[in-house]
Amino acid sequence: MDGGDVRSQTRRLMSGRHWAYAFAALIFVAVIVLAVSCGGVDGNKSANGPNSGASGTCDLDYVTKQINDHEGIADWAYPGDPFDAKKAAGKTIFSIQENSTNPFTNTIVAVMKEVADKIGVKVIDYPNQGQRTQWIQGIQQAISQQADVIVLSGGTIGPIYFQEQAAAAERAGIPIVTVVDRDLTQDAEPGTAARVGQPYAEAARLDADWIIKQTSCRANVLVITSNELIAGDINSSAAREEFDRYCGNGCTTRFVNVPLSQWATKIGTTTQTEVSSNPDLNYVFPLYDAMSQFVVPAIQLGGGITRVKVASFNGTPGILRMIQTGDTVEMIVGENEAHLGYAAMDQAMRLMTGAEPIGDGDYGIPLRVFDDSNVDETGVPPEYGVGYGDQWRDGFLKAWGLG
């Protein structure tokens, strides 16, 4: 029997009114099935859309403990065997930042130079404006100048963008060290001799925990991401999962991706629009605190200066200062940029002296939650490397034979 016969017999068995009821029921079922198949029931949306109605439950005890555990200065131990760093004296490190105007990587390189002066190592920092062609030229210069190690600093620069030149450096006997290009849970990039990994995902979860705690699971958040980093969207995903798991149905999040090249033009307009159009918005969460310079004025222009707060990650001194002088930037998950510089030099000097590098690139970079209660420990005004104690610095110097 074909489909037409079935429909004909069915219609004869039903009155017109009953058929209408049955047809409406079928439409309802179809809508429910479609919603389930598209993720509409559990609230999962696209990366640039809202995410509300999460599958987890409110767990204030958990998020409060996470914040409390990261408010003080953490213990730290050097992760490898000691070696004689003085054997690297007279050698040359060629540094290429992802962009010479980035204050975060500038700090890392400045600290590298401080360490180099202690050892007698030369650090050449290649100036660039973040263009891949410039990075390639930098690698070529490092090869022509017969550098001993190349250090690449930043989340967007790495051998995957200049594989041919990285291979040429390897043939010339010049190893490459990457700094904060990938999360600690990810593998090193191909063409990398050593790395300093970054706790991107852990930091994002801590920011989410803070927002959940402060709003008592009533967060309404704009999350500004930059997913073109080599690490990808690992921190975006971590933040989303944390809200889903520990904030429950009371939270609403909207994720908007802004490429690094558009920070100055798009972050402000995106933030202002969301603040003015969403009266329930109570937090903006830029994944990196350098974004805050565009976020804070936009919150004010959008009319949200008294209700919308900012939580972020990195601990750039200028942004920590915003906590000290204002009320909009409420919390920053800080990492010690000076610690990153020491770790970069540690890997480079290990390679230059024949010591084995720290294989997984995990230097146990501590994350510390800074808010009004403890931000002055970073200095007034804040300084890089301050607010994390001295154990990390003493540990490096002792491991290098300089203690």
Side-chain angles (χ1 to χ4, degrees):
M1 182 180 294
D2 62 24
D5 291 335
V6 172
R7 287 191 294 271
S8 178
Q9 289 191 22
T10 301
R11 287 189 179 96
R12 287 196 298 269
L13 291 173
M14 291 184 173
S15 68
R17 180 176 294 179
H18 289 170
W19 172 255
Y21 290 161
F23 184 75
L26 288 172
I27 292 296
F28 177 78
V29 171
V31 168
I32 294 298
V33 170
L34 181 61
V36 172
S37 65
C38 293
V41 170
D42 65 9
N44 294 325
K45 304 291 183 181
S46 66
N48 286 328
N51 175 22
S52 59
S55 57
T57 58
C58 177
D59 193 340
L60 289 176
D61 289 341
Y62 173 83
V63 297
T64 300
K65 184 178 188 305
Q66 294 306 302
I67 297 303
N68 291 345
D69 288 348
H70 288 84
E71 284 186 326
I73 295 173
D75 290 334
W76 184 81
Y78 183 74
D81 295 327
F83 68 103
D84 185 1
K86 282 290 187 179
K87 290 182 179 179
K91 296 186 181 294
T92 298
I93 297 172
F94 200 94
S95 160
I96 308 176
Q97 302 179 50
E98 63 182 1
N99 190 318
S100 297
T101 65
N102 185 335
F104 177 73
T105 55
N106 272 333
T107 298
I108 294 173
V109 174
V111 174
M112 288 173 59
K113 290 180 177 180
E114 290 177 9
V115 174
D117 289 343
K118 300 177 186 292
I119 306 295
V121 171
K122 183 179 182 180
V123 174
I124 300 172
D125 188 46
Y126 180 75
N128 72 91
Q129 288 73 50
Q131 300 175 17
R132 293 178 187 177
T133 55
Q134 295 173 324
W135 300 342
I136 289 172
Q137 292 166 1
I139 297 291
Q140 292 169 337
Q141 283 201 25
I143 295 172
S144 66
Q145 294 183 28
Q146 298 181 329
D148 295 287
V149 173
I150 297 170
V151 175
L152 309 174
S153 301
T156 63
I157 183 172
I160 62 172
Y161 295 128
F162 35 81
Q163 297 179 26
E164 181 179 337
Q165 291 74 25
E170 185 177 4
R171 289 194 297 272
I174 306 174
I176 291 177
V177 177
T178 58
V179 183
V180 306
D181 60 325
R182 282 188 170 173
D183 188 76
L184 289 166
T185 61
Q186 298 171 314
D187 293 334
E189 289 183 66
T192 300
R195 69 164 181 165
V196 177
Q198 177 80 326
Y200 283 118
E202 182 185 359
R205 285 191 291 268
L206 279 173
D207 273 309
D209 292 337
W210 173 272
I211 295 170
I212 295 167
K213 173 181 177 290
Q214 294 298 103
T215 63
S216 298
C217 294
R218 289 294 180 268
N220 193 304
V221 192
L222 170 64
V223 185
I224 304 177
T225 72
S226 271
N227 295 337
E228 86 277 15
L229 299 184
I230 294 172
D233 66 348
I234 189 165
N235 43 6
S236 304
S237 297
R240 190 188 300 273
E241 290 166 3
E242 199 78 354
F243 281 116
D244 285 353
R245 186 171 183 181
Y246 298 109
C247 203
N249 294 330
C251 286
T252 299
T253 58
R254 174 174 167 78
F255 288 72
V256 177
N257 187 60
V258 180
L260 184 62
S261 61
Q262 298 178 27
W263 281 16
T265 58
K266 189 176 178 182
I267 288 177
T269 55
T270 299
T271 302
Q272 184 178 345
T273 299
E274 185 70 17
V275 170
S276 60
S277 64
N278 181 0
D280 296 322
L281 187 76
N282 48 31
Y283 272 90
V284 178
F285 170 12
L287 286 184
Y288 311 104
D289 65 9
M291 294 173 164
S292 300
Q293 61 186 309
F294 310 111
V295 167
V296 173
I299 291 174
Q300 184 167 11
L301 289 171
I305 201 67
T306 60
R307 65 178 167 89
V308 181
K309 304 300 181 183
V310 174
S312 191
F313 161 59
N314 277 145
T316 305
I319 311 303
L320 288 168
R321 181 65 173 161
M322 289 184 176
I323 300 178
Q324 294 176 336
T325 60
D327 296 321
T328 304
V329 179
E330 187 178 65
M331 186 278 280
I332 291 174
V333 176
E335 64 177 343
N336 187 347
E337 295 161 340
H339 195 150
L340 291 171
Y342 270 64
M345 285 299 294
D346 187 74
Q347 291 285 47
M349 293 189 299
R350 282 179 166 276
L351 291 168
M352 291 189 295
T353 61
E356 285 292 321
I358 305 301
D360 59 2
D362 187 353
Y363 278 83
I365 307 294
L367 297 177
R368 187 177 184 190
V369 170
F370 289 109
D371 59 17
D372 282 336
S373 69
N374 61 1
V375 69
D376 286 352
E377 294 180 33
T378 66
V380 182
E383 303 174 45
Y384 68 79
V386 179
Y388 302 91
D390 296 316
Q391 191 175 29
W392 64 274
R393 182 183 285 105
D394 295 342
F396 275 113
L397 295 176
K398 181 178 179 180
W400 296 338
L402 303 177

